[in-house]
Short mmCIF file of all heavy atoms in Angstrom, two decimals:
data_model
loop_
_atom_site.label_atom_id
_atom_site.label_comp_id
_atom_site.label_asym_id
_atom_site.label_seq_id
_atom_site.Cartn_x
_atom_site.Cartn_y
_atom_site.Cartn_z
N ASP R 362 110.88 -135.02 -89.27
CA ASP R 362 110.06 -133.95 -89.88
C ASP R 362 109.93 -132.75 -88.93
O ASP R 362 109.44 -131.69 -89.26
CB ASP R 362 108.73 -134.49 -90.32
CG ASP R 362 107.75 -134.78 -89.21
OD1 ASP R 362 108.04 -134.42 -88.06
OD2 ASP R 362 106.69 -135.38 -89.51
N ARG R 363 110.33 -132.97 -87.72
CA ARG R 363 110.12 -131.83 -86.77
C ARG R 363 111.07 -130.66 -87.14
O ARG R 363 110.83 -129.57 -86.65
CB ARG R 363 110.37 -132.38 -85.34
CG ARG R 363 109.31 -133.39 -84.97
CD ARG R 363 109.39 -133.88 -83.56
NE ARG R 363 110.44 -134.77 -83.40
CZ ARG R 363 110.66 -135.47 -82.38
NH1 ARG R 363 109.80 -135.36 -81.25
NH2 ARG R 363 111.63 -136.39 -82.27
N VAL R 364 112.10 -130.90 -87.90
CA VAL R 364 112.90 -129.86 -88.39
C VAL R 364 112.12 -128.88 -89.20
O VAL R 364 112.27 -127.59 -89.02
CB VAL R 364 114.17 -130.36 -89.20
CG1 VAL R 364 114.95 -129.21 -89.69
CG2 VAL R 364 114.95 -131.30 -88.38
N MET R 365 111.26 -129.44 -90.03
CA MET R 365 110.45 -128.50 -90.87
C MET R 365 109.53 -127.65 -90.03
O MET R 365 109.29 -126.51 -90.25
CB MET R 365 109.65 -129.28 -91.81
CG MET R 365 108.83 -128.29 -92.73
SD MET R 365 107.88 -129.17 -93.98
CE MET R 365 106.69 -130.02 -93.02
N GLN R 366 108.93 -128.32 -88.96
CA GLN R 366 108.04 -127.61 -88.09
C GLN R 366 108.77 -126.38 -87.46
O GLN R 366 108.16 -125.46 -86.95
CB GLN R 366 107.55 -128.46 -86.95
CG GLN R 366 106.78 -129.70 -87.48
CD GLN R 366 105.35 -129.35 -87.71
OE1 GLN R 366 105.02 -128.25 -88.22
NE2 GLN R 366 104.41 -130.26 -87.47
N LEU R 367 110.11 -126.51 -87.39
CA LEU R 367 110.82 -125.40 -86.78
C LEU R 367 111.17 -124.33 -87.75
O LEU R 367 111.65 -123.27 -87.27
CB LEU R 367 112.09 -126.03 -86.13
CG LEU R 367 111.81 -127.16 -85.19
CD1 LEU R 367 113.13 -127.60 -84.53
CD2 LEU R 367 110.89 -126.77 -84.07
N THR R 368 111.20 -124.59 -89.03
CA THR R 368 111.52 -123.56 -89.92
C THR R 368 110.27 -122.62 -90.00
O THR R 368 109.18 -122.99 -89.53
CB THR R 368 111.80 -124.09 -91.35
OG1 THR R 368 110.61 -124.70 -91.78
CG2 THR R 368 112.94 -125.06 -91.32
N LEU R 369 110.50 -121.44 -90.47
CA LEU R 369 109.43 -120.47 -90.38
C LEU R 369 108.74 -120.29 -91.69
O LEU R 369 108.12 -119.31 -92.01
CB LEU R 369 109.96 -119.15 -89.87
CG LEU R 369 110.38 -119.26 -88.39
CD1 LEU R 369 111.02 -118.02 -87.92
CD2 LEU R 369 109.18 -119.58 -87.54
N PHE R 370 108.76 -121.32 -92.56
CA PHE R 370 107.97 -121.28 -93.80
C PHE R 370 106.61 -121.57 -93.49
O PHE R 370 106.12 -122.71 -93.58
CB PHE R 370 108.61 -122.20 -94.86
CG PHE R 370 109.99 -121.85 -95.21
CD1 PHE R 370 111.07 -122.61 -94.71
CD2 PHE R 370 110.25 -120.73 -96.00
CE1 PHE R 370 112.34 -122.26 -95.07
CE2 PHE R 370 111.52 -120.40 -96.29
CZ PHE R 370 112.57 -121.12 -95.84
N GLU R 371 105.86 -120.47 -93.15
CA GLU R 371 104.54 -120.67 -92.63
C GLU R 371 103.59 -121.55 -93.53
O GLU R 371 102.87 -122.40 -93.12
CB GLU R 371 103.89 -119.27 -92.54
CG GLU R 371 104.22 -118.50 -91.26
CD GLU R 371 103.74 -119.28 -89.98
OE1 GLU R 371 102.60 -119.73 -90.02
OE2 GLU R 371 104.46 -119.27 -88.97
N ASP R 372 103.70 -121.30 -94.85
CA ASP R 372 102.77 -122.05 -95.74
C ASP R 372 103.00 -123.50 -95.66
O ASP R 372 102.06 -124.30 -95.67
CB ASP R 372 102.97 -121.51 -97.18
CG ASP R 372 102.39 -120.16 -97.33
OD1 ASP R 372 101.72 -119.69 -96.39
OD2 ASP R 372 102.65 -119.55 -98.36
N ARG R 373 104.28 -123.90 -95.63
CA ARG R 373 104.58 -125.33 -95.67
C ARG R 373 104.09 -125.95 -94.31
O ARG R 373 103.53 -127.06 -94.25
CB ARG R 373 106.10 -125.56 -95.83
CG ARG R 373 106.57 -125.35 -97.17
CD ARG R 373 107.99 -125.80 -97.31
NE ARG R 373 108.11 -127.17 -97.72
CZ ARG R 373 109.01 -128.03 -97.27
NH1 ARG R 373 109.82 -127.62 -96.36
NH2 ARG R 373 109.09 -129.28 -97.71
N VAL R 374 104.37 -125.22 -93.28
CA VAL R 374 103.94 -125.73 -91.93
C VAL R 374 102.39 -125.88 -91.91
O VAL R 374 101.83 -126.88 -91.45
CB VAL R 374 104.42 -124.87 -90.77
CG1 VAL R 374 103.82 -125.31 -89.48
CG2 VAL R 374 105.97 -124.97 -90.69
N ARG R 375 101.73 -124.87 -92.47
CA ARG R 375 100.26 -124.98 -92.46
C ARG R 375 99.72 -126.06 -93.29
O ARG R 375 98.88 -126.84 -92.86
CB ARG R 375 99.69 -123.60 -93.01
CG ARG R 375 98.35 -123.27 -92.39
CD ARG R 375 97.80 -121.93 -92.85
NE ARG R 375 98.70 -120.86 -92.41
CZ ARG R 375 99.00 -119.81 -93.21
NH1 ARG R 375 98.54 -119.76 -94.43
NH2 ARG R 375 99.79 -118.89 -92.77
#
Side-chain angles (χ1 to χ4, degrees):
D362 74 10
R363 295 183 284 190
V364 177
M365 180 178 67
Q366 298 279 36
L367 305 182
T368 63
L369 291 173
F370 297 105
E371 279 296 324
D372 287 350
R373 289 187 90 220
V374 171
R375 208 175 302 136

